[in-house]
Amino acid sequence: MKNLGILLSGRGSNFEAIAHNLLSGSIPARIAVVVSNRQDAAGLDRARALGIEARCLPSKGKDREAYDRELVATLQSFGVDIVCLAGFMRVLSSTFIRAFPTRILNIHPALLPAFPGLEAQKQALDYGVKFTGCTVHLVDEGVDTGPIIGQAVVPVLDGDTVESLSARILKEEHRIYSEAVRLVVEERIRVEGRRVRVTS
Ligand code: GAR
């Protein structure tokens, strides 16, 4: 049984979607710990409500390397094999990335490589694209640049606001993130350069 570690900074709806799929037995893994860099992250309460270990490691004022070492030590103390970033609003250092080689996943609310970084849904609306979506990818040392495991396309409608578009994208995020976690847990992905191949 693989141990997942979830890192989040806020609401935690992607974490919750993954947790429900795990608890229903459809993904053969368990969430060993949820860690937030923010004390006020609602995701921490959501984790505790599900009986999942939840820790806050405040990042404010800390040097990135030192913070990431602390984060790695916490995850390792829970025997974490796979790390899922679920709205974790920090860039990870190479120290962190090297500790979990090709075992760190992230969800981004756009069709990468379009609209990386912050406020991806607003970027898409401002640009005027007709379709956007979401991406699950492996994390490398860039910002939203790692090899792509899965994507879903979401149309942009005429009357969309950032909120309505974000809500439509979020539904797809919940679906594709759980699918990607399953593939990684089942060791069904193979990385060949930038391309991720799924084996059956
Ligand atoms: C999600 O929309 C996720 O894609 C986004 O933060 C939100 C977290 O929601 N992540 C990023 O923008 C990372 N660049 P959640 O806390 O409800 O899962």
Side-chain angles (χ1 to χ4, degrees):
M1 181 74 98
K2 292 270 196 301
N3 284 328
L4 305 187
I6 309 268
L7 302 185
L8 52 78
S9 303
R11 182 175 57 185
S13 74
N14 275 288
F15 147 66
E16 217 169 28
I18 294 167
H20 285 303
N21 281 305
L22 272 119
L23 293 170
S24 71
S26 70
I27 302 175
R30 60 184 281 273
I31 297 176
V33 66
V34 172
V35 182
S36 172
N37 61 321
R38 295 181 56 118
Q39 189 85 52
D40 58 356
L44 289 174
D45 296 329
R46 287 179 177 216
R48 292 185 184 117
L50 290 168
I52 296 170
E53 196 74 45
R55 295 288 163 94
C56 175
L57 281 188
S59 54
K60 219 172 176 175
K62 280 186 194 154
D63 163 76
R64 185 176 306 282
E65 286 286 328
Y67 182 76
D68 282 7
R69 276 197 298 274
E70 212 180 308
L71 208 49
V72 168
T74 303
L75 295 169
Q76 285 175 344
S77 74
F78 282 90
V80 165
D81 306 296
I82 298 165
V83 180
C84 299
L85 310 185
F88 187 61
M89 296 310 199
R90 283 180 62 82
V91 175
L92 294 166
S93 64
S94 51
T95 302
F96 188 98
I97 289 159
R98 279 199 297 262
F100 299 96
T102 68
R103 286 288 172 274
I104 310 170
L105 282 71
N106 183 42
I107 180 92
H108 183 75
L111 290 174
L112 291 171
F115 313 129
L118 296 175
E119 299 189 324
Q121 303 93 332
K122 180 173 186 303
Q123 291 187 55
L125 271 181
D126 289 350
Y127 197 91
V129 291
K130 300 298 184 192
F131 292 91
T132 181
C134 47
T135 303
V136 184
H137 64 94
L138 292 168
V139 174
D140 63 12
E141 291 176 27
V143 175
D144 302 323
T145 51
I148 292 170
I149 301 175
Q151 293 186 302
V153 177
V154 172
V156 179
L157 307 180
D158 284 347
D160 262 337
T161 59
V162 171
E163 290 71 32
S164 63
L165 179 60
S166 300
R168 202 174 316 113
I169 295 172
L170 194 63
K171 268 179 78 171
E172 292 300 301
E173 291 185 36
H174 295 166
R175 185 175 64 76
I176 69 166
Y177 210 174
S178 291
E179 279 176 15
V181 168
R182 174 202 303 286
L183 293 176
V184 174
V185 164
E186 293 177 349
E187 298 184 347
R188 287 173 54 203
I189 67 162
R190 210 172 60 225
V191 184
E192 293 171 3
R194 282 214 50 89
R195 299 181 75 177
V196 174
R197 305 230 185 250
V198 176
T199 58
S200 48

